[in-house]
Amino acid sequence: MSDRRFRFGVVGSPRTGAEWMTTVRRAAELGYSTVLMPDVLYLPAPFPSLAMAAAVADIRVGTFVAAAPLRTPRQTAWDAHTLTTLTDGRFDFGIGTGRPDAERQTVEVGLPWGNGRERREQVVETLDLLRQLDGERRTPIMLAAGGPKALALAAERADIVSLAKDATTPRSEVADLAKHLRDLAGSRADDIELAMNIFAAGTRPLPAWTKQAAGIEPEALEAMDSLMLLRGTPRQMADELLRRRETIGATYITVNADYLEDLAPVVDLLTGE
């Protein structure tokens, strides 16, 4: 389905600067192409964290993903453009309308949550402002999309699309969503990189936080062969990712930093393939 080559990223959740620097340096050593930071108030702020990461390793950095309601469009565009400038183009700007729990966070920062249409308009305004600030140098855009309107926006504006579906979504539904994205994108379809996030890889038992993250018992998640998991030996995991590229089109694979070492042999097997 896709002849795009694989690349891999690490999604951090550091509590200290030392922990973050260790993750960034190790990711670069192991051949990951990017390190990414979520946008949640209980972790360090993403933009300064990514600036720090780009300064200590030759690796791309990205937001995963910035929640539009947590800042004004002008502030977000300014931060994104600044990272593109200071990293000499090594920044991927991930943005979305915000997960449901982001509503509480907007209250904490004193900004309105808004309805779905208003949050999408914030995303569009941010992208328009960023384009003006960038000028000739264009920041790659990553959009998280699951619903019809977000998917249409991603088809029109994104360079990278992360399909925003939960861990229990059947493979066939994700494949259909990816096909719908390509249909909407039309002539742009081949220019869009499809991203897939993995929160557990390898053979280690799933951690206790799996249930909180996925809303389902770890055993049930494994039994349903969730796309959020990548299990087995390095060769088995590599073969599974090859199948996902063939059936869904996903080639940009990101993993929770706790599993950075577990996925590393697969990164070695598939990077550039």
Side-chain angles (χ1 to χ4, degrees):
M1 174 178 291
S2 173
D3 58 2
R4 186 182 289 271
R5 295 180 176 183
F6 283 103
R7 68 176 178 130
F8 295 85
V10 175
V11 181
S13 53
R15 301 292 177 172
T16 67
E19 179 186 345
W20 180 226
M21 292 303 94
T22 297
T23 296
V24 171
R25 291 191 177 105
R26 188 60 177 149
E29 289 171 2
L30 292 172
Y32 287 88
S33 70
T34 54
V35 288
L36 305 108
M37 273 290 287
D39 190 17
V40 290
L41 294 185
Y42 59 80
L43 290 175
F47 292 103
S49 299
L50 294 171
M52 186 178 181
V56 302
D58 184 14
I59 195 167
R60 293 191 69 80
V61 298
T63 45
F64 193 75
V65 297
L70 287 181
R71 302 164 190 82
T72 66
R74 182 61 176 81
Q75 179 186 0
T76 308
W78 180 32
D79 283 338
H81 173 69
T82 297
L83 269 181
T84 289
T85 301
L86 297 184
T87 65
D88 195 23
R90 287 186 289 136
F91 172 61
D92 294 335
F93 179 41
I95 186 171
T97 56
R99 300 179 304 181
D101 58 355
E103 182 173 6
R104 184 186 71 253
Q105 296 177 59
T106 59
V107 174
E108 292 187 49
V109 299
L111 291 172
W113 173 243
N115 57 38
R117 176 185 57 78
E118 290 168 335
R119 297 198 304 278
R120 284 191 300 275
E121 288 174 350
Q122 282 182 290
V123 172
V124 172
E125 184 179 355
T126 302
L127 296 181
D128 289 344
L129 288 166
L130 177 58
R131 180 175 290 175
Q132 293 173 23
L133 290 172
D134 278 348
E136 292 184 2
R137 165 172 274 170
R138 183 173 174 277
T139 301
I141 304 301
M142 178 180 192
L143 293 182
K149 293 178 181 178
L151 208 64
L153 175 60
E156 179 184 355
R157 302 291 295 267
D159 302 286
I160 310 160
V161 177
S162 178
L163 297 177
K165 288 297 181 180
D166 63 38
T168 63
T169 305
R171 288 172 178 244
S172 59
E173 186 175 328
V174 176
D176 288 345
L177 196 66
K179 181 181 183 303
H180 185 45
L181 171 68
R182 289 190 293 272
D183 290 343
L184 289 171
S187 61
R188 291 193 67 245
D190 290 342
D191 298 329
I192 296 175
E193 184 178 39
L194 198 60
M196 182 172 288
N197 187 49
I198 307 295
F199 68 70
T203 57
R204 284 190 287 149
L206 295 179
W209 51 258
T210 300
K211 182 177 180 180
Q212 180 181 359
I216 187 173
E217 294 290 347
E219 298 78 12
L221 200 62
E222 294 219 60
M224 69 173 55
D225 196 23
S226 170
L227 287 170
M228 301 290 277
L229 305 179
L230 189 64
R231 308 295 271 163
T233 66
R235 186 66 260 171
Q236 288 170 332
M237 290 190 285
D239 288 344
E240 168 61 16
L241 290 181
L242 288 167
R243 282 191 291 271
R244 294 185 189 187
R245 180 170 68 178
E246 177 62 27
T247 59
I248 299 171
T251 57
Y252 181 23
I253 309 301
T254 60
V255 69
N256 183 291
D258 289 345
Y259 288 87
L260 177 155
E261 300 285 349
D262 302 76
L263 192 64
V266 182
V267 174
D268 190 51
L269 285 170
L270 291 184
T271 295
E273 293 294 323

